[in-house]
Amino acid sequence: MRQSHAFIPTLRDLPADAEVVSHQLMLRAGMMRQISSGVYTYLPLGYRVIKKVSEIIREEMDRAGGQELLMPALQPAELWMKTGRWDDYGPLMMKVTDRHERPFALGPTHEEVITSIVRDEVKTYKKLPFILYQIQTKFRDEYRPRFGLLRGREFIMKDAYSFDTSEEGLDRSYKAMYDAYVRIFTRCGLKFRAVEADSGAIGGKDNHEFMVLASIGEDTIAYCSSCSYAANLERAEVVHTPNPSDEEPQPLRKVTTPGVRTVAKQAEIMGIPVSKVIKNVVFSVEGKPVVVLVRGDHEVNEVKVKNFLNLTTLEMADEETIRKVFGCEPGFVSPIGIAGITVLADRAIKEMVNASTGANETDYHYLGVQPERDFHVDHYGDFRNIREGDPCPRCGAPIRFTQGIEVGHVFKLRTKYSSALGAVYQDEKGNLKEMLMGSYGIGVSRLVAAVVEQSHDENGMIWPKAIAPFAVHLVPVNIEDAEQREFAERLYGELQNQGIEVLFDDRNERAGVKFKDSDLLGIPLRVVIGTKIREGKVELKIRRTGESLEVPTRNALQEILRVWEGLE
Ligand code: ATP
Ligand code: MG
């Protein structure tokens, strides 16, 4: 590709609204442009990378026995109503209506569509198992589209679905997909970790998210400093280590605490550590309040609460509800003296002595609170987030935290969708059985941004060889110099004949501009043709390491091929 006519609109300045490096660099390098919040055009340079990643995914999906198809983005609402997700998906789903006022969704995912297709076509065990996949545009009206391709409202996903007749078969499909994901992310040059993820109320351990380790990641991963345990913060189990207190229990005392609404302030005024405060978090479950108690220095884990209550969604109670139910401002809620309200408590609450909590009266808190003596708890359980330093649930070594970007998700659906949509087959004995399904997603466009997050320096992007938009950036320093130009033209042709993808900077620009752009675009190997051409020499420069070497013009082609071969 000749750069003089390439549609690569680079930017000199930092784009104002781009907060993270991948977003900034991809805009500056002219890889993409936004047309509406979270909706992007992949410009030619960006699309080359998307295509490379897609090809790697295709190869590995095919290798794992997958068959590619392409489903529609436009999906009739009836399908979603049958599984209950027309409502459950909530405002995340982009909804449209046709000219007959019939409702449709712009697909955020394809479980409903694939299950209905397979249901209609497969009736016998003889056709099973199989894995179907597609690479396709998805739509999600994200609450906070941001960080460029990392969280878009329209994005490219690879989604695969497996259909099996037995648990062992499902295990095999799951493992085949898991292993394919490891190969895909490794080939894309990513540093990643597969972490245990939340499976919702259904439970089960076969649910992993593939996390790219990056400081800007929106997910917190709890991992063990010693063994291989890693889980999402929302999922990581807390091991309860009993720590009984030998303090003398005191009587309950009500104290005035005007305007004290935070745990920190409450502890300060009472002269106690925050770990002696009982935090009351109020949720609204089917119109009824549920209070969850955690220690002041702990964070309530909504996913654990939601799963315990067997719900698909969980909402915090609003301030109005709190005032009505507890008769006080939020911040003064208490489990003491309430009747008919479900109270859940984290296990650490049970052994608290002389704690402090609200009084269900604005501007008052209690001191000398003893759980059980002063209030009733319906259920004690693991309702809090794990913290750094807490023991690993597998081996007991301290837990550490890191941030991650979720690039892939593998998940056993079992019969959730086959049951809702009637995807059944006849087994050997003629009995009707529901198909066992798995769902496997990769955020293709997000993955590209995740690579940039992990692979860049202050001057620009650094593409791993396997997914670089071009292999070689051919840069004659002065295109008006006949010798440089002629040699560059010849090399350009030769490299192309060898099947090497070359971006040829044939622009009449200053050397400084060309080198700056070259660093920004991050093509793995740069070939600089400058004044040394007169001595029969050209320079090869490796973007990642900054290493450069001079090679004789007469075997420049062989040297380029050799260096390219050795790159990662
Ligand atoms: P997240 O928790 O980040 O919102 P998710 O768990 O809802 O993602 P899945 O339904 O598991 O996403 O979708 C499969 C994959 O699609 C994810 O692992 C992620 O890589 C990608 N993905 C999901 N939402 C987006 C988005 N808004 N923009 C880009 N990629 C996305
Ligand atoms: Mg996910």
Side-chain angles (χ1 to χ4, degrees):
M1 180 83 227
R2 285 175 192 273
Q3 210 166 335
S4 55
H5 288 84
F7 187 50
I8 306 176
T10 53
L11 303 172
R12 287 279 131 76
D13 300 320
L14 207 65
D17 53 350
E19 297 162 66
V20 298
V21 166
S22 58
H23 191 190
Q24 292 166 355
L25 289 176
M26 292 179 78
L27 286 174
R28 280 185 50 209
M31 296 185 76
M32 62 183 208
R33 285 294 182 266
Q34 178 173 286
I35 197 149
S36 165
S37 169
V39 184
Y40 292 89
T41 300
Y42 310 107
L43 297 177
L45 195 71
Y47 199 51
R48 290 181 82 95
V49 180
I50 298 261
K51 283 190 288 187
K52 294 248 158 98
V53 171
S54 304
E55 250 348 278
I56 290 176
I57 293 175
R58 282 198 177 93
E59 282 173 27
E60 296 299 343
M61 284 292 112
D62 292 348
R63 178 131 79 110
Q67 305 172 54
E68 188 171 4
L69 81 174
L70 185 59
M71 289 180 267
L74 198 60
Q75 310 180 358
E78 298 107 77
L79 260 182
W80 289 82
M81 287 170 182
K82 283 195 187 125
T83 60
R85 288 213 290 182
W86 183 254
D87 293 325
D88 286 353
Y89 234 95
L92 204 58
M93 182 136 73
M94 290 274 193
K95 296 178 176 173
V96 293
T97 44
D98 71 5
R99 64 171 76 207
H100 307 294
E101 297 296 318
R102 275 192 295 250
F104 285 81
L106 291 177
T109 176
H110 279 68
E111 281 84 6
E112 277 77 0
V113 173
I114 196 88
T115 310
S116 85
I117 292 167
V118 173
R119 171 199 62 202
D120 292 345
E121 308 305 330
V122 177
K123 308 286 179 197
T124 159
Y125 72 94
K126 290 179 200 155
K127 298 277 184 200
L128 295 164
F130 53 72
I131 297 172
L132 301 170
Y133 76 94
Q134 65 174 348
I135 295 177
Q136 196 243 19
T137 300
K138 299 279 187 276
F139 300 85
R140 292 184 186 180
D141 198 358
E142 297 279 356
Y143 170 66
R144 265 188 95 186
R146 59 182 190 154
F147 298 167
L149 298 190
L150 289 173
R151 186 170 295 285
R153 295 197 298 163
E154 177 177 324
F155 59 96
I156 302 177
M157 196 201 284
K158 185 286 300 180
D159 43 329
Y161 306 91
S162 63
F163 294 82
D164 276 279
T165 58
S166 66
E167 279 293 334
E168 302 75 63
L170 176 55
D171 282 346
R172 268 195 299 278
S173 298
Y174 188 85
K175 176 146 196 322
M177 286 294 110
Y178 184 106
D179 293 346
Y181 276 35
V182 170
R183 291 195 298 269
I184 290 166
F185 300 132
T186 306
R187 285 181 64 183
C188 289
L190 287 165
K191 286 191 274 302
F192 64 95
R193 232 171 143 146
V195 308
E196 289 180 15
D198 171 57
S199 301
I202 326 167
K205 66 175 172 42
D206 289 321
N207 181 358
H208 288 90
E209 286 174 355
F210 287 82
M211 294 287 187
V212 167
L213 308 181
S215 58
I216 56 99
E218 294 181 292
D219 295 286
T220 301
I221 305 165
Y223 69 96
C224 179
S225 52
S226 166
C227 76
S228 67
Y229 179 79
N232 267 345
L233 181 60
E234 56 190 32
R235 150 98 187 186
E237 307 144 49
V238 175
V239 181
H240 180 61
T241 26
N243 184 18
S245 155
D246 50 12
E247 264 183 62
E248 201 51 46
Q250 290 162 13
L252 198 59
R253 267 185 302 142
K254 202 191 273 185
V255 190
T256 73
T257 49
V260 174
R261 282 161 168 263
T262 64
V263 167
K265 198 88 204 145
Q266 185 182 341
E268 190 192 313
I269 285 212
M270 305 279 184
I272 53 172
V274 283
S275 60
K276 291 202 120 190
V277 171
I278 297 174
K279 213 160 32 178
N280 299 259
V281 186
V282 187
F283 294 97
S284 177
V285 177
E286 280 147 12
K288 292 203 190 106
V290 169
V291 188
V292 181
L293 311 179
V294 292
R295 232 166 59 181
D297 56 335
H298 291 160
E299 290 295 327
V300 69
N301 182 312
E302 290 190 28
V303 171
K304 290 178 181 176
V305 174
K306 188 181 84 181
N307 291 347
F308 175 77
L309 295 169
N310 224 330
L311 300 168
T312 46
T313 55
L314 184 69
E315 274 170 49
M316 298 277 258
D318 58 29
E319 300 204 347
E320 201 47 45
T321 310
I322 290 177
R323 284 188 199 104
K324 222 165 64 207
V325 175
F326 296 91
C328 63
E329 285 297 310
F332 301 95
V333 170
S334 173
I336 300 172
I338 52 173
I341 295 175
T342 304
V343 179
L344 306 179
D346 186 67
R347 290 161 304 183
I349 296 290
K350 195 165 191 169
E351 60 196 24
M352 289 175 85
V353 177
N354 299 328
S356 168
T357 194
N360 288 332
E361 195 177 330
T362 301
D363 294 343
Y364 288 93
H365 281 91
Y366 278 123
L367 262 179
V369 178
Q370 324 300 338
E372 299 300 319
R373 184 195 75 184
D374 298 328
F375 61 86
H376 168 73
V377 171
D378 293 286
H379 183 88
Y380 287 98
D382 174 11
F383 294 122
R384 72 163 173 99
N385 286 341
I386 202 164
R387 291 185 309 180
E388 280 197 282
D390 280 348
C392 165
R394 299 280 178 277
C395 77
I399 284 291
R400 300 263 170 273
F401 282 1
T402 182
Q403 295 307 111
I405 301 168
E406 180 191 328
V407 288
H409 195 171
V410 292
F411 188 5
K412 282 188 182 169
L413 302 168
R414 300 216 149 72
T415 56
K416 184 169 179 208
Y417 295 92
S418 45
S419 168
L421 295 163
V424 292
Y425 65 94
Q426 268 194 339
D427 71 3
E428 291 94 325
K429 299 191 187 103
N431 300 321
L432 284 185
K433 292 230 171 102
E434 287 166 349
M435 297 176 194
L436 283 164
M437 293 174 56
S439 167
Y440 317 91
I442 292 180
V444 180
S445 41
R446 178 183 285 185
L447 186 158
V448 171
V451 168
V452 179
E453 282 301 327
Q454 270 192 349
S455 190
H456 68 264
D457 63 14
E458 64 282 6
N459 300 318
M461 306 184 288
I462 303 174
W463 289 107
K465 180 179 170 182
I467 62 170
F470 291 94
V472 170
H473 202 179
L474 184 60
V475 187
V477 176
N478 178 6
I479 199 76
E480 298 205 301
D481 176 298
E483 218 173 327
Q484 289 186 29
R485 188 178 60 239
E486 276 155 32
F487 184 75
E489 286 285 353
R490 207 177 77 217
L491 198 53
Y492 180 48
E494 286 172 351
L495 283 165
Q496 283 183 311
N497 287 340
Q498 294 290 325
I500 298 278
E501 294 169 293
V502 188
L503 182 64
F504 177 21
D505 193 349
D506 59 344
R507 297 174 302 166
N508 191 3
E509 287 280 1
R510 282 182 294 116
V513 171
K514 289 184 159 193
F515 291 147
K516 254 202 152 76
D517 280 351
S518 182
D519 280 340
L520 176 61
L521 303 192
I523 295 166
L525 183 57
R526 186 193 301 171
V527 179
V528 184
I529 299 161
T531 48
K532 284 213 172 154
I533 192 83
R534 291 200 187 99
E535 302 159 32
K537 285 187 184 139
V538 296
E539 185 199 359
L540 310 192
K541 189 164 185 205
I542 298 170
R543 176 66 180 90
R544 185 173 298 279
T545 59
E547 264 173 278
S548 77
L549 67 157
E550 268 183 5
V551 300
T553 43
R554 68 189 139 69
N555 51 8
L557 178 64
Q558 289 83 337
E559 283 298 306
I560 293 167
L561 296 177
R562 187 184 62 79
V563 174
W564 169 249
E565 277 307 310
L567 287 184
E568 282 193 18

